[in-house]
Amino acid sequence: ETGVTQSPTHLIKTRGQQVTLRCSSQSGHNTVSWYQQALGQGPQFIFQYYREEENGRGNFPPRFSGLQFPNYSSELNVNALELDDSALYLCASSSDRDPHTEAFFGQGTRLTVV
Amino acid sequence: DAKTTQPPSMDCAEGRAANLPCNHSTISGNEYVYWYRQIHSQGPQYIIHGLKNNETNEMASLIITEDRKSSTLILPHATLRDTAVYYCIVRPTNDYKLSFGAGTTVTVRA
């Protein structure tokens, strides 16, 4: 186990709805990144949060947004869900003390949009 | 970011060494080579990383060629639990994201 926990583990939503996914980072880690993994593909970077601010973003539309809280936990929000948003959403935590420290991933949230 | 090329799949016999190749011919001087793996239905797991020297830890060894255009991840004694998708990633010093490709699906057979 990595110490990174995500909730919920599975979720089914209807197209057009909004969803919030949660991530608790590993103790001592102040940076959280979110990834989307479609079936059969590698994870794709959505964005990273550091000190409660977005610190970089991948090629995802603005309806993907996030938050980081003072305790370094994080949320991923997706508005106006589309069928193609169905994927495994992964959270990874790391520390800024060493830019090359490993990132620890959670088990992911499996989102199905119907 | 430099692009990596990996074989889509490979088989390995249990107890034997597994050698996973990765080509990164456009790698820059400030880019590190990282390896992660993802066991089915789990999040990716860090294995090892290096810049230009060979590296070894309790999980694996990383051999980087002198010109840094390719590398090999070595699992010294593969077990059935090593069956996973293995990702080779090139990451610049000042970058925060991991750019995953399709990886290599490694199947360890008894």
Side-chain angles (χ1 to χ4, degrees), chain B residues 11-67:
Chain B
D11 285 0
C12 176
E14 188 179 22
R16 306 294 291 269
N19 297 292
L20 283 63
C22 179
N23 183 286
H24 31 80
S25 58
T26 61
I27 194 169
S28 300
N30 69 339
E31 291 181 315
Y32 283 69
V33 179
Y34 282 76
W35 284 83
Y36 278 76
R37 73 179 183 183
Q38 188 172 22
I39 296 170
H40 183 61
S41 298
Q42 297 184 19
Q45 175 191 24
Y46 167 84
I47 301 173
I48 198 167
H49 76 276
L51 182 62
K52 51 185 177 182
N53 297 321
N54 297 337
E55 303 287 344
T56 296
N57 63 20
E58 65 279 2
M59 288 184 67
S61 295
L62 174 60
I63 309 297
I64 302 174
T65 58
E66 192 167 342
D67 64 7

Side-chain angles (χ1 to χ4, degrees), chain A residues 3-78:
Chain A
V4 179
T5 58
Q6 293 187 243
S7 62
T9 55
H10 295 82
L11 197 56
I12 299 175
K13 287 286 191 178
T14 302
R15 188 172 48 184
Q17 285 188 313
Q18 178 266 344
V19 69
T20 297
L21 310 181
R22 295 177 174 82
C23 172
S24 294
S25 59
Q26 178 155 310
S27 177
H29 284 184
N30 56 9
T31 302
V32 174
S33 301
W34 287 91
Y35 291 80
Q36 180 195 65
Q37 186 173 24
L39 202 60
Q41 298 181 23
Q44 299 300 304
F45 176 76
I46 302 174
F47 45 54
Q48 183 186 77
Y49 275 81
Y50 171 63
R51 293 185 177 178
E52 303 177 50
E53 297 284 335
E54 187 179 291
N55 187 41
R57 188 177 186 93
N59 189 27
F60 281 81
R63 59 189 185 84
F64 285 79
S65 63
L67 285 172
Q68 186 180 31
F69 301 99
N71 66 354
Y72 306 130
S73 66
S74 177
E75 287 182 355
L76 165 66
N77 299 290
V78 186

Side-chain angles (χ1 to χ4, degrees), chain A residues 95-113:
Chain A
S95 170
D96 70 327
R97 286 174 294 174
D98 177 0
H100 289 286
T101 190
E102 59 192 277
F104 291 87
F105 284 80
Q107 298 284 70
T109 294
R110 172 72 63 186
L111 172 66
T112 302
V113 182

